[in-house]
Every structure is written in structure tokens, then in C-alpha cells.
Amino acid sequence: MEKPCTLLVHFDKGTPAMANEIKEALEGSDVAAKVDAMKRAIMLLLNGETLPQLFITIVRYVLPSEDHTVQKLLLFYLEIIDKTDARGRVLPEMILICQNLLNNLQHANEYIRGVTLRFLCRISEPEILEPLIPSVLTNLEHRHPFIRRNALLAISSIYRLPNGEQLLPDAPELVEKALSSEQDASARRNAFLMLCNCSQDRAVAYLLSNADRVPEWPDLLQMAMVDLIRKVCRANRPDKGRHIKIIISLLNSPSTAVVYECAGALVSLSSAPTAVRAAANTYCQLLSSQSDNNVRLIILDRLNELRKSHREVMSEVVMDVLRALSSPNPDVRRKVLDIVLDLVSTKNVDEVVLFLKKEVVKTQAAGESDKDAGGEYRQMLVQAIHACTIKFPEVAGSVVHVLMDFLGDSNVASAIDVVIFVREIIETNPKLRVSMIQRLIDTFYQIRAARVCSCALWILGEYSLSLSEVEAAISTIKQCVGELPFYSATEDVEPTAESTKQPHAVNSSVTTSSRRPVVLADGTYATQSAASEAAGVAPSVLPGSLSSIPNLRSLILSGDFFLAAVVASTLTKLVLRLEEVQPAQTETNKACSAALLVMVSMLQFGQSGFAPHPIDDDSYDRIVLCVRLLCNTGDEVRKVWLESCRQSFAKMLAEKQFRETEELRAKAQISHAQPDDLIDFYHLKSRKGMSQLELEDEVHDDLKRATGEFTKDADDASRLNRILQLTGFSDPVYAEAYVTVHHYDIVLDVTIINRTKETLQNLCLELATMGDLKLVDRPQNYTLAPESSRQIKANIKVSSTETGVIFGNIVYETSNVMERNVVVLNDIHIDIMDYISPATCADVTFRNMWAEFEWENKVAISTVIQDEKEFLEHIIKSTNMKCLTPPSALEGDCGFLAANLYAKSVFGEDALVNISVEKQADGKLSGYIRIRSKTQGIALSLGDKITLKQKGGDH
């Protein structure tokens, strides 16, 4: 049976021979050998050995030793050994120990006195402590602070024993007297803590009598004082104002730990705007003064909590929070932007956007070593500015032109965010259309990413409305495509050696060419050559200069035929638009011919053998459709190409805005006050002696009470659902647990009831875990009277999002039978749903994570549900995830359904789910649910959860 101890070291089991060796070493005069022997004896005792034969040897040969290490190990030994018999009475040989402890308490050496006093904190037998109390009290007045502080700890520990008030009836009075004259910081803290725990009224009286001198106290004492104020104010609300003043006076303390604790206490005790504002300013000062990223993240968490409950006050310190963007850590920057974006209002949006704009410009000056980090940071800033302009479109004009300079950014993700931002702004802000189209035409040559080119081409095709804009857009696309055709076929009846040596270049921009002889349809020979330019040779091309490879030409020659289809669609829209705005038919025909030449050249290149791969069917059909459309255009088709696309995009934006508005409404706190709730009208109260802070607090509390914010977070019915029965009703010991999950830890509040007529001795709740769970506290032994109960709390740390299992048993002894009785407990399964919450992310981010994450769990669909949408709703509800697929994409009844779900864990892990469902002819659903994550645990646990829940039953 393991005994509770402050020292836990693994050691192998002992043998009689080993015990004899230890005994011989202890009897010798070698100090080093004694130290080693004592360590070995302690390790054996910790592993369950009794070693009764060593006690007398230690008393005879170790007690008299003057060596400090030996004396320290002796105290460890005395702490471990049994001091009572089976009936709970102190063993007679403990008298020898008492005499030794008494001598140590009067020893001339300060260290011996101090460690002995500290040792007394772990003794609970009154028979041992009683003869030592006069010596303990004498040490309160010792000249050395080390002894005084340990004497105060010993007095506090003795007084808190069940019969401590009989041993030390005047302990609070003695400690209060010692506190008033003490100068040592640690000793003052120990004395003050003793009063806080044992005589709170004396501690409060001391605090109020020294309120003016609190800022001069050492930081250790100030921290203890903050804890006391927390306890006092929660129990006695009317005196809250006096204590809050003391806390506010400490917000300028030189100790950052004290300042942080005071800000937290201020928020927890008062909801007055003055108090919240002071706490928020304090957090912002800490955020700017601390260089440790972990500290900054903790402070940002506190600011985020303030944001949820005090938005009006937090909106005043937005610019102070933004200054934390100077940190190079991406996690800090991301959290800062998340907080700020939720606090943007009409009052501060201009300042916020201007600050973000300056930060974007700064990222251009980043060196090569910071290029990747700068690109990631720039992407975050672009997304933040995008979010601000969605809420407040009037600020878009001040930033959109600066952001358009980054369309050619080497960081593709950042460039995609910019072009999506431009596409949305040009639709929602018609006043900016002309300047944005001109800027896009000027910067189009710099774009090197295919996806950015595709989106930019769509913008040019949809929003180039005037004659000059359409002509400039067509000219820009032609220059970026380059000279045509992409390859050439030259007839040569008898190819000579010279002709095979001289490659036939298509145009001046072609760097190298490849040639091969072919047989034409009429039977003559010809030499065919094609450009083999490498994509990305030149980072940018200036307008009017084709000294480098144009971007569209480079991408098409690399085999991107989807982009070729986009080029064809854009040219078609521009030519159709030109027919409407250009009165001269000749110019329209020229533009149509040039567009047809580009399309046919792309088709020829895609079907030739010089492309990296043949053109795909979809792109081929799209380009052919454009060719046919330009050759024969009808009014209905013209309306579809020139109006319907833009209308669909506007409809998509409106639906997105509506969805975001609905989400904000759902997040808004819904609170209801009961009809008979008491509301105090502070206007009718006496304000005599009340400070401004107390008045504000009264008003705020009344408003909270009126709006129902003081209602309980969880009613009794939901609490009952968290209670798990651990043993059966027929077991001699009944146990049940209330499980509380606090993100990073789990608290088990176990109620144990003795259902027998006997006293249960050495009752111990032994728990073990499976998965990424870790027990924090070691089990302790308890004595349970007949038909009595006891509450035992067990703390378990969680290190990752994974389904864990807690199992164990209850072990106890009875007075009649000394054998150990064991009651096996039911297993407690920790649900993964307690750690994940619905979250949102962009489609691009989802796809990138899907491609990056390596762990996948594929679950086959097997359910009695026969409707696809009903099955999707069931999975969303069961997994606590959010559906990223918009409702418009799920409309209709075609027998197929595909949707993406997303959630985030409290540890920052991402959980991705893709559902692909098909309705069979017999009405049953089939398909797969694929789960991806960066870690194996969340993929497996979520897969198990879906397997259990997908059948539609209440599992």
C-alpha cells in the first residue's frame, strides 16, 4: 500500500540482503555511506517495503548526526514511516522521535531549526505535536527570518488540524502580533495567509487598517492580499467598494504579476465601466511591455474575455491592442486581429484601416529572410481589411488601390485574397469601379499566378463597361498572350541541312524552339516548331514591352488550359460589350477577328504534340462554345453572357451577407429575466458614502438583472445529465461522479457513500487513464463512518483532442476483516465533443488544409435515414461541426449531396469532414464520410463518433 508523501521516486524492490547492507552502512561512521543508505531506505519504503528492523538503528546512529544532509533525509524517513498502529494510536517508540524534534527546534544551527519546523507541517498526530508547541512559539521571535517564516507555516498547519484549536487556541492572535512587527517579506506573507485561512476577520481588519500602505508592501504580500479580497467580496458584496479601491491603487505596481492579478480581480468583482476600463488599459500596457509570446497570448485571452462581455469599453482600446502586431509571432498577430475585427465600429474603423494599411506597406520592406513570414502576415492583413470593408464599405476606397499593388505577390495565397477582395469591392462600391478597372489593367502584367489571373480576367470581362475600358482590356489581354500562333508549321519539300540547323522562331519573345519533320495531308514534308518557354522566367512585364515572356502566354504554354478557357470567355464578353458601346462596325469586326485568332491558336496548341499534355474536354468545349458564339450571336445568349453572370455574383454576395448576419444574431446572448426577479432602483437609494465606482456598479448590476444576465448558465436538468453512476446500488460503497470539462482539464467530483453499518478505513479512490489524459493528484486515504458520505475531487489534465477513458476502483478496509476490499468502478468515457466547437474558414483555406493534412479516416455511410439533407443535419448536430457549404448549394433534389464541415478544438487543432452521399434506387443512402486532421487522435475519435451516431439512433 503506497503512502502519501511529498517525495516520489521509482526504485526496485528490496531484499533482506539489501536491508542488511543498509543497516551496516548506517552503523558506520562514514557520512557519505550514511547518506546513500538513507536514500536507499527511503526508496524501499516508498515502494511498499516496511523495514521495521531499521528504526532502532536509525535512532541510535542517525539521530545524533550533525550533518545537514543526513538530518534532511532523516526528516523524509520520519515523514514516510507509520506513526500509528492499526487502531490509530501513536506508537510508543515515537517518544524518541519527539525528543529529537524538540532538540532540533532548540538547535543552535538555523538550518536545522528551519527544516524541522517545515517538517512539522506534515505531521498530523496531536500526541507528537503537543510537547513541541512551546518551542515552535519561541521560534516566532528568533532573529533569523528563515526560522520565523517556517515557524509561521508550522503554526498555520497545526491550527488547521481537526483539533488544532485545542493545541493552539491563541494562534491567530499570536500571528497577528507577529505580522505587525515582521519585516521579512516571506514571513509577512506566511503570517497573512495564516490569518486569511484561519481568521479572515483579523486579516480584513489588518488590510483595512493598512490600506494606505498597501502599495509599499512586497509583491508576495500584495498577491496574498488580492486573493483575500476576491474571497471577501464574493461573500460580502456590500463592502466591495472599499476593497476595489485598494486593488485599483495597485494597478501601478512595479511587479507585473501583481498588476496582472489585480486586473483579473477587478474584472471578476466589478462590472462597472470604470473598473473594466482600468483593467483593459492595464492588460494593454502589459501586452506592450512583455516580450514573451506565451505571456502575450495569455493577456490576449483575457482581453478576448473582456470583449465578449464589455464590447463598448473594449472598443476604446482597439488601437492599443493593435500595437501588439509589432510582435513577429504569427499566433499573437492572428489573435490580435481576431479581437480587433470584432470591435471595429463606425467610430474607430478609419483608424483601424489606416493602421492596417501602414502594416501592409511595411511588409514590402521585409528582407529575403522574412519573405515567407511577411507573405503570411500580409495575407492576414488583407483578410482583416477585407472583413472591415464588408462591414463598412465606405472605407474601401482608402485601401483598395494600395492592395492592388500586391496582385503580383510571390505569396500566391496573399495575392488570391487580394483579387477576391477586389472582386467583391468592385461589385459593392460602384463609385470605385472606373479607378479600379484602370488600376487592374495597369497591374495585370505583374500577375504570375494562374488563379489570380483567372479572377482578374473575370473582373475585366464583367466590369469593363465604357469604350476605352473595353479596348484597353482587349489590348492588355492580347499583349499578355503574345504573338500568335503558339507554334508554326513551315512547308519544306526537301528539308536541307541548313533548315534543320536553324530553328524557326515564332516571335521575338520565344527563347528556344523545338523542331521535327512531319508529313502533311498532301504528302509533302514540313518542319514543325513550337515555343518551349519556361513559365516564370520574368517576374513582371511592363506595359508595351514584350522583352520578357508575357504572363498569360507563359501559363498557357505550361499546360494551364483552364486559364485558356477563361481567356476565351473574357474575350467573348469584351467583344460582345464592344458591339454595344462601339458604333463603328469595322473596329468591332477587328476585335472579333483578333479574339477568334487567340481562341483558335489555343485550340491548335492544345491538340498539338508540343503541349505538356493534351487539352482537357471541358476547356476544349468551353473555347469552342466561345468561337461559335462570336460567329453567331443571339439576343438571349448576349443577355446571359453580359448580365446573368454579374447578377449571379451579386446574389451570391447578398446570400453571404445574410448568412453572416444570421450567424451574428445566433451568437448574440439570449437572456430572459423572470417576472418576479428583484430589481433595485439605485436612484431611490441613499448615495451617502458611495463612490462613483460603486454607483456605476449598482447601475450595471441592475441592468444585468433586468436583462437576465444573472441567470444560471446551466439549469439543474443539464447538471443531472453530467452525473455518471460508478457503482451498483447493491455494492457496499455507492459512488457517482459529476464530470466537469474545463478545456485543458477535467474535474471529477465523486460522491462516495458508505452503505454499511461498519466504519471503512483507508478508503482510497484509485483512478487510471487511457489516452492523452494524466492524473494530477495522487489518491489519499479516508475513513468513512457508517452510512456517511464524502466528496472527493480528482483533477485530470488533457493534452490533446482524443477520446479518453478513466477507469479505476475503490479500495477499503473494515475493522473486522483486515483484508482489502475492492469495488470496481464503471468506466468514464470522455467525449471528444467537449473539446471541439464549430468554426468557419474560407474555401481556399479548407482546400489547402485538406491537401496538407496527412491523417484521414474514411467512414462508409450506413444509416436508416433516407433523406440526404436530413442525414447531413443529423451529422452536423452529432459532431458539433459547422457546414461550410452554403444552403444555396444544397438546394434541389438530385439524389446526390456533397458538403464540407469544419470545427476547431480548444488546442487549436483543425477537424475537416467531407460528406458525399448518394441515394440508391431502393431509397437507401450510400457514400463515404472522410475526416482529415493533422493529428491521428482527432481523426480516429471523430470517426468513431460518426460511426456511432450516423445510424440515427440515440447512442
Side-chain angles (χ1 to χ4, degrees):
M1 175 60 191
E2 293 188 18
K3 305 294 190 302
C5 175
T6 56
L7 179 69
L8 179 61
V9 182
H10 172 73
F11 195 68
D12 295 328
K13 289 187 71 67
T15 60
M18 185 181 291
N20 292 331
E21 291 177 8
I22 294 173
K23 187 176 179 181
E24 292 176 3
L26 293 175
E27 292 174 352
S29 57
D30 188 0
V31 175
K34 280 189 178 183
V35 169
D36 183 62
M38 286 296 296
K39 288 180 180 180
R40 292 164 70 189
I42 291 170
M43 291 175 182
L44 287 172
L45 288 167
L46 287 173
N47 280 271
E49 300 289 335
T50 55
L51 305 180
Q53 67 273 28
L54 287 183
F55 182 79
I56 297 301
T57 304
I58 289 175
V59 169
R60 290 182 59 191
Y61 297 100
V62 178
L63 283 184
S65 175
E66 293 292 332
D67 185 76
H68 290 180
T69 306
V70 173
Q71 286 295 322
K72 184 71 173 175
L73 291 171
L74 172 63
L75 295 177
F76 278 133
Y77 171 80
L78 296 178
E79 181 183 345
I80 298 168
I81 61 172
D82 288 325
K83 303 170 194 63
T84 57
D85 57 16
R87 298 183 180 180
R89 294 178 299 188
V90 176
L91 296 172
E93 53 267 28
M94 288 298 117
I95 298 174
L96 301 173
I97 302 301
C98 289
Q99 185 60 45
N100 177 69
L101 294 175
L102 189 60
N103 294 337
N104 284 351
L105 290 175
Q106 299 170 358
H107 202 280
N109 185 274
E110 289 85 358
Y111 176 78
I112 298 295
R113 283 199 189 197
V115 295
T116 306
L117 287 166
R118 193 61 178 262
F119 166 74
L120 294 182
C121 297
R122 302 181 183 95
I123 300 298
S124 58
E125 289 78 15
E127 294 85 354
I128 298 176
L129 292 171
E130 189 171 4
L132 306 177
I133 286 177
S135 298
V136 173
L137 297 178
T138 304
N139 283 307
L140 273 180
E141 301 174 357
H142 196 276
R143 58 181 178 79
H144 202 285
F146 176 70
I147 295 176
R148 295 198 301 273
R149 71 177 72 132
N150 283 294
L152 289 165
L153 285 176
I155 291 172
S156 175
S157 177
I158 294 170
Y159 189 77
R160 281 184 290 171
L161 292 174
N163 52 357
E165 293 186 17
Q166 299 175 3
L167 296 174
L168 277 170
D170 56 346
E173 183 180 347
L174 293 171
V175 171
E176 185 179 16
K177 182 180 177 182
L179 177 60
S180 61
S181 59
E182 183 59 63
Q183 299 298 321
D184 180 67
S186 296
R188 292 175 69 186
R189 171 186 173 273
N190 293 345
F192 190 75
L193 283 177
M194 188 274 175
L195 293 179
C196 293
N197 295 325
C198 304
S199 180
Q200 196 175 89
D201 293 340
R202 291 179 184 270
V204 173
Y206 177 80
L207 172 62
L208 295 177
S209 63
N210 293 273
D212 297 336
R213 292 193 291 273
V214 166
E216 302 171 4
W217 286 3
D219 53 356
L220 290 174
L221 193 55
Q222 289 175 345
M223 296 281 280
M225 180 272 301
V226 173
D227 289 336
L228 173 66
I229 289 179
R230 275 201 182 102
K231 295 177 184 177
V232 171
C233 291
R234 285 170 184 162
N236 189 10
R237 292 180 66 86
D239 289 340
K240 190 167 59 173
R242 301 167 66 190
H243 296 97
I244 289 179
K245 288 179 184 177
I246 299 175
I247 289 182
I248 292 177
S249 69
L250 287 178
L251 290 178
N252 296 321
S253 171
S255 170
T256 53
V258 172
V259 170
Y260 174 80
E261 287 296 327
C262 286
L266 203 57
V267 174
S268 64
L269 297 178
S270 174
S271 52
T274 304
V276 176
R277 191 175 293 110
N281 289 327
T282 301
Y283 283 139
C284 290
Q285 291 172 8
L286 290 173
L287 192 62
S288 60
S289 64
Q290 297 300 307
S291 58
D292 189 282
N293 290 324
N294 293 319
V295 174
R296 285 181 170 179
L297 289 172
I298 292 171
I299 295 171
L300 287 170
D301 285 337
R302 301 291 82 77
L303 287 170
N304 193 35
E305 291 171 2
L306 284 181
R307 174 190 62 80
K308 294 176 182 177
S309 53
H310 304 281
R311 290 180 57 85
E312 297 80 7
V313 177
M314 279 298 296
S315 62
E316 300 173 10
V317 296
V318 164
M319 299 309 296
D320 296 326
V321 177
L322 270 177
R323 292 191 183 93
L325 288 176
S326 59
S327 169
N329 185 273
D331 295 327
V332 173
R333 286 172 166 173
R334 190 174 294 108
K335 191 161 284 191
V336 167
L337 291 174
D338 289 342
I339 294 173
V340 169
L341 288 179
D342 199 54
L343 296 171
V344 173
S345 63
T346 52
K347 296 180 181 178
N348 55 30
V349 64
D350 293 326
E351 287 182 286
V352 171
V353 171
L354 180 62
F355 188 93
L356 296 176
K357 178 181 172 182
K358 290 179 180 178
E359 289 294 311
V360 171
V361 175
K362 284 181 187 177
T363 59
Q364 283 181 302
E368 287 296 323
S369 59
D370 299 333
K371 199 170 183 180
D372 294 337
E376 182 184 0
Y377 180 38
R378 184 159 55 246
Q379 183 183 0
M380 286 191 282
L381 292 171
V382 170
Q383 292 172 350
I385 294 174
H386 190 179
C388 289
T389 54
I390 290 174
K391 291 182 181 178
F392 307 96
E394 62 273 9
V395 301
S398 62
V399 292
V400 67
H401 295 98
V402 175
L403 293 182
M404 289 180 75
D405 291 337
F406 296 96
L407 287 172
D409 195 349
S410 57
N411 186 323
V412 178
S414 176
I416 290 173
D417 286 334
V418 172
V419 77
I420 290 174
F421 169 69
V422 170
R423 184 182 66 179
E424 192 165 327
I425 294 303
I426 203 171
E427 169 62 30
T428 56
N429 291 265
K431 295 179 181 178
L432 300 175
R433 185 194 62 79
V434 176
S435 60
M436 290 177 67
I437 285 293
Q438 186 59 47
R439 190 62 175 265
L440 182 59
I441 291 173
D442 293 341
T443 58
F444 187 82
Y445 302 90
Q446 302 173 5
I447 303 174
R448 309 304 296 182
R451 292 182 62 186
V452 182
C453 279
S454 300
C455 194
L457 286 169
W458 186 88
I459 295 171
L460 290 176
E462 290 294 334
Y463 297 96
S464 297
L465 303 180
S466 65
L467 176 61
S468 59
E469 291 170 353
V470 173
E471 289 178 343
I474 293 175
S475 174
T476 299
I477 294 173
K478 287 172 61 179
Q479 290 184 16
C480 289
V481 169
E483 295 185 19
L484 301 174
F486 290 98
Y487 73 96
S488 65
T490 308
E491 288 195 10
D492 192 357
V493 178
E494 290 185 3
T496 62
E498 292 182 11
S499 65
T500 59
K501 292 178 184 177
Q502 298 293 329
H504 180 74
V506 179
N507 52 54
S508 60
S509 68
V510 176
T511 54
T512 59
S513 300
S514 60
R515 305 180 59 193
R516 66 177 182 181
V518 295
V519 180
L520 301 180
D522 59 357
T524 59
Y525 287 96
T527 301
Q528 204 171 43
S529 63
S532 59
E533 299 130 327
V537 172
S540 62
V541 183
L542 296 175
S545 172
L546 289 174
S547 58
S548 301
I549 304 171
N551 52 357
L552 291 180
R553 185 182 187 86
S554 171
L555 292 168
I556 293 172
L557 288 176
S558 66
D560 193 339
F561 292 109
F562 175 78
L563 179 63
V566 176
V567 171
S569 300
T570 304
L571 287 173
T572 302
K573 292 179 184 177
L574 291 171
V575 170
L576 294 177
R577 186 86 64 192
L578 189 63
E579 292 177 359
E580 292 185 348
V581 298
Q582 173 63 271
Q585 189 66 29
T586 307
E587 295 297 326
T588 305
N589 290 339
K590 277 186 181 181
C592 184
S593 301
L596 288 172
L597 178 60
V598 172
M599 297 178 199
V600 172
S601 298
M602 291 188 295
L603 288 174
Q604 274 188 328
F605 176 67
Q607 293 178 322
S608 71
F610 296 98
H613 54 81
I615 187 172
D616 57 282
D617 293 341
D618 290 338
S619 300
Y620 177 84
D621 293 342
R622 183 71 170 173
I623 297 174
V624 169
L625 175 65
C626 294
V627 172
R628 290 176 178 173
L629 183 63
L630 290 181
C631 295
N632 185 13
T633 307
D635 292 338
E636 288 298 324
V637 176
R638 183 188 300 272
K639 183 178 179 182
V640 170
W641 279 74
L642 295 183
E643 297 179 14
S644 298
C645 294
R646 187 170 172 182
Q647 290 172 358
S648 298
F649 179 61
K651 183 180 177 182
M652 185 194 80
L653 289 181
E655 183 183 344
K656 179 183 175 185
Q657 184 70 28
F658 175 77
R659 213 163 57 238
E660 291 175 350
T661 305
E662 289 297 314
E663 288 175 4
L664 290 175
R665 287 180 182 174
K667 288 180 181 177
Q669 184 177 5
I670 301 174
S671 56
H672 303 285
Q674 295 300 322
D676 56 348
D677 280 355
L678 178 66
I679 299 177
D680 292 329
F681 292 93
Y682 84 102
H683 299 281
L684 306 179
K685 283 185 175 182
S686 172
R687 303 190 190 184
K688 188 176 180 180
M690 294 180 70
S691 65
Q692 180 64 27
L693 183 65
E694 290 175 284
L695 290 173
E696 289 181 11
D697 218 10
E698 289 282 342
V699 175
H700 209 271
D701 286 353
D702 289 343
L703 288 174
K704 276 189 172 183
R705 195 174 290 108
T707 55
E709 286 189 40
F710 278 162
T711 55
K712 294 181 180 179
D713 295 335
D715 55 9
D716 294 336
S718 63
R719 285 178 61 87
L720 289 173
N721 294 333
R722 310 288 295 182
I723 294 178
L724 302 174
Q725 183 179 338
L726 302 181
T727 63
F729 291 112
S730 60
D731 288 322
V733 177
Y734 175 77
E736 63 182 20
Y738 176 71
V739 183
T740 307
V741 179
H742 295 292
H743 289 182
Y744 295 99
D745 57 356
I746 301 168
V747 179
L748 296 181
D749 194 351
V750 184
T751 302
I752 296 178
I753 302 174
N754 179 8
R755 303 182 67 238
T756 68
K757 301 292 184 180
E758 299 177 337
T759 300
L760 305 183
Q761 298 176 356
N762 293 329
L763 184 141
C764 180
L765 175 65
E766 297 178 348
L767 297 175
T769 59
M770 188 169 61
D772 285 340
L773 305 175
K774 182 181 178 183
L775 279 168
V776 177
D777 303 320
R778 296 191 62 203
Q780 296 185 11
N781 292 344
Y782 301 95
T783 300
L784 209 57
E787 298 182 351
S788 64
S789 63
R790 189 175 189 91
Q791 300 286 124
I792 300 176
K793 284 193 175 182
N795 294 313
I796 297 168
K797 288 291 178 185
V798 185
S799 56
S800 71
T801 309
E802 184 178 347
T803 300
V805 180
I806 304 171
F807 55 93
N809 47 52
I810 295 175
V811 183
Y812 62 92
E813 296 175 353
T814 60
S815 57
N816 297 333
V817 183
M818 295 308 295
E819 294 181 359
R820 306 286 288 173
N821 298 294
V822 179
V823 178
V824 180
L825 305 178
N826 289 332
D827 294 346
I828 301 174
H829 293 267
I830 303 303
D831 196 348
I832 188 178
M833 296 301 105
D834 292 325
Y835 303 113
I836 67 174
S837 56
T840 57
C841 70
D843 291 340
V844 175
T845 309
F846 186 92
R847 286 194 292 270
N848 291 339
M849 288 191 292
W850 188 269
E852 176 188 348
F853 291 171
E854 56 185 6
W855 290 103
E856 178 175 305
N857 191 2
K858 192 173 182 181
V859 179
I861 293 176
S862 174
T863 179
V864 296
I865 301 174
Q866 296 189 350
D867 183 74
E868 308 98 298
K869 294 178 183 175
E870 182 184 348
F871 178 74
L872 174 62
E873 290 297 326
H874 177 69
I875 293 297
I876 292 173
K877 183 179 179 182
S878 303
T879 57
N880 196 26
M881 302 187 79
K882 181 174 179 60
C883 181
L884 299 182
T885 307
S888 58
L890 301 173
E891 292 177 355
D893 188 10
C894 62
F896 295 92
L897 185 145
N900 294 330
L901 310 182
Y902 179 64
K904 210 172 183 65
S905 76
V906 295
F907 306 100
E909 299 166 322
D910 301 288
L912 314 179
V913 173
N914 173 262
I915 301 177
S916 300
V917 189
E918 178 185 0
K919 194 167 188 176
Q920 301 292 337
D922 57 358
K924 294 182 178 179
L925 299 182
S926 65
Y928 290 96
I929 301 173
R930 297 165 67 193
I931 306 146
R932 287 197 181 183
S933 67
K934 190 174 287 186
T935 57
Q936 182 184 18
I938 193 170
L940 294 177
S941 300
L942 204 52
D944 294 340
K945 185 73 176 178
I946 290 175
T947 303
L948 285 173
K949 291 285 188 178
Q950 67 167 325
K951 295 185 182 297
D954 294 331
H955 293 278

